[in-house]
Amino acid sequence: MADRNQEAVARRSRRRLLGAELTRHQEERGEFTDEELTEARTRIFGEAEPGSSAGTAG
């Protein structure tokens, strides 16, 4: 049980840090374009269509 709690805390920390980094990136370079978001989804989830179950994971 302790391992699962540690994993959950680590996962939340990674998400928080990633969110902060993405915010910083957009503040410096502007909002992500639709093309950049599409490329990111493809890299993360594969070739799944937006709106499919793979594209809505989170």
Side-chain angles (χ1 to χ4, degrees), residues 13-30 32:
S13 293
R14 285 191 297 272
R15 286 181 182 162
R16 183 178 44 80
L17 292 169
L18 177 58
E21 180 62 21
L22 291 172
T23 298
R24 184 194 61 76
H25 178 87
Q26 288 187 97
E27 288 172 350
E28 291 178 0
R29 297 186 176 105
F32 289 106

Side-chain angles (χ1 to χ4, degrees), residues 5 7-8 11 15 18 21 23 29 32-33 37 39 45 47 50 53-54:
N5 289 337
E7 290 172 17
R11 195 168 36 252
R15 286 181 182 162
L18 177 58
E21 180 62 21
T23 298
R29 297 186 176 105
F32 289 106
T33 65
L37 293 172
E39 180 182 350
F45 300 113
E47 295 296 325
S53 59

Side-chain angles (χ1 to χ4, degrees), residues 39-54:
E39 180 182 350
R41 283 186 194 101
T42 300
R43 290 177 145 201
I44 294 168
F45 300 113
E47 295 296 325
E49 291 291 318
S52 70
S53 59

